[in-house]
Amino acid sequence: MDKLQIIKDTRTLDREFPFEIFHYQAVPFTGEGEAYHWHEFMEITCILSGKGIYYVNGNTCQVEAGDMIIFNNIDVHGWEARENMELLVMVFDARLVFDGAHSLEYEYLIPFLEQSGCFRFCRRWKRSMRDVQKDGN
């Protein structure tokens, strides 16, 4: 690694409903230097296929199909695809689930708001998604 670059993701979320969901294809990269990013919104990334490594605030997290990672806002993160990876990425403003009062939703977010790093929910999430897909058919 020659040079580490940390850039701010300047994506602007809709003011009325600050939520986006999109697919992203990560491919193995052999370029010079590494690029990491951060943003002011929260992110949930689901690994739909492939394998790789996520780097979050200096921590390393091996990921593969079926894993899900939750990023707090301002977490510096990046990835290295070991093979082609298909990602489902959801980004949102924390105000969607927390309005400043200690609501029920806030209790669920405490671990993510108070700790930085890589949170993984592996096989249990994968099984749950299969169940949701079966129920939808």
Side-chain angles (χ1 to χ4, degrees), residues 91-106:
V91 294
F92 58 95
D93 190 309
R95 291 176 296 165
L96 282 177
V97 291
F98 174 61
D99 63 3
H102 282 60
S103 63
L104 177 62
E105 293 85 1
Y106 177 77

Side-chain angles (χ1 to χ4, degrees), residues 18 29 32 40 44 56 59 78 82-83 90 99 115 135:
F29 178 71
E32 294 181 21
E40 295 178 350
I44 300 173
V56 186
N59 296 313
R82 295 296 176 142
E83 57 188 53
M90 293 162 274
D99 63 3
Q115 298 177 21
D135 291 345

Side-chain angles (χ1 to χ4, degrees), residues 5-43:
Q5 297 177 7
I6 300 174
I7 57 175
K8 179 180 181 183
D9 182 339
T10 57
R11 177 186 315 269
T12 303
L13 299 178
D14 183 81
R15 285 182 168 281
E16 297 208 15
F17 189 70
F19 176 88
E20 288 184 17
I21 186 168
F22 55 93
H23 279 91
Y24 184 83
Q25 298 291 327
V27 297
F29 178 71
T30 58
E32 294 181 21
E34 297 289 333
Y36 292 81
H37 69 278
W38 66 278
H39 35 70
E40 295 178 350
F41 43 82
M42 299 186 76
E43 176 180 334

Side-chain angles (χ1 to χ4, degrees), residues 9 11 13 18-22 24 36-47 54-56 68-79 87-94 109 112-113 117-119 121:
D9 182 339
R11 177 186 315 269
L13 299 178
F19 176 88
E20 288 184 17
I21 186 168
F22 55 93
Y24 184 83
Y36 292 81
H37 69 278
W38 66 278
H39 35 70
E40 295 178 350
F41 43 82
M42 299 186 76
E43 176 180 334
I44 300 173
T45 297
C46 304
I47 315 310
Y54 261 82
Y55 303 98
V56 186
M68 177 170 57
I69 306 171
I70 301 174
F71 302 102
N72 197 351
N73 61 333
I74 75 168
D75 279 343
V76 175
H77 57 282
W79 62 90
L87 310 174
L88 179 65
V89 181
M90 293 162 274
V91 294
F92 58 95
D93 190 309
L109 285 177
F112 308 110
L113 296 173
C118 180
F119 297 91
F121 303 91

